[in-house]
Amino acid sequence: MENMNLNRHISGQFNAELDDIRNRVLAMGGLVENQLQEALNALVSLDADLAQKVIEGDHRVNDMEVSIDEECTRIIAKRQPAASDLRMIIAISKTIADLERIGDACVKIANAALDKRLKNQQPLLVSIENMGRHATRTLHDTLDALARMDAEVAIELHREDKKLDSEYEGIIRQLMTYMMEDPRSIPEVLDVLWAARAVERVGDRCQNICEYIIYFVKGKDVRHTSYEEMKKV
């Protein structure tokens, strides 16, 4: 009986640790989502103060990644989880790496907002704003799917990256045309290009997180897998 109570106690502690780590990764996701929204707002309005706030706030994202990763390592070493518990920890460990990289993308967008020359490129900034809002919605929905570990939603969200890629390609064509028509604009247009690339990378990271959700729920690695094949998992 004492062994049974001890096992229940250990199991209860383990479940509490898993719940805590899930809550922490969702908190990190919320912080990154806010960073993305503020970076885009800073770029569109060329708000240097807001851009600086995003840049300075990146250390919080980095600190959360390190802290959560250390906890994942500790749980694996101490609890030696198996099956779905191990898949969850692996999925979380990979997710926080991608969230940290989205944080890096936010810094790149914010750095572009510090270039006052972009006040002459408002039409280009509007194009990035539209793409950025799409990326923000995708990130929000991906984090929601992560909170619920909803593999079916993750499969559908996985396709959003192609739409973002298409928007990015449209912006690239627009930027190329702009630079050919006015070579003097090249320096500031390149800043817009780097910002657009950073937004496009957010879509890539969201797609990765969707794959981790599917991996946890289905127990299947779906990297480099087509949508049709994912639906069969």
Side-chain angles (χ1 to χ4, degrees), residues 172-192:
I172 292 297
R173 288 193 295 270
Q174 184 182 10
L175 294 177
M176 294 297 290
T177 301
Y178 204 90
M179 287 188 287
M180 285 189 290
E181 290 177 350
D182 183 7
R184 293 171 301 176
S185 69
I186 289 176
E188 56 262 39
V189 172
L190 284 176
D191 279 342
V192 177

Side-chain angles (χ1 to χ4, degrees), residues 1-18:
M1 182 64 72
E2 288 182 1
N3 285 339
M4 187 179 296
N5 289 335
L6 179 60
N7 288 337
R8 281 204 198 97
H9 179 66
I10 292 173
S11 176
Q13 282 185 325
F14 185 30
N15 289 335
E17 289 171 356
L18 291 177

Side-chain angles (χ1 to χ4, degrees), residues 75-99:
I75 289 176
I76 290 173
K78 182 179 180 181
R79 302 297 187 187
Q80 297 182 341
S84 64
D85 289 335
L86 181 58
R87 291 203 307 273
M88 176 185 287
I89 295 170
I90 291 172
I92 285 175
S93 182
K94 291 185 175 183
T95 293
I96 59 174
D98 276 292
L99 288 175

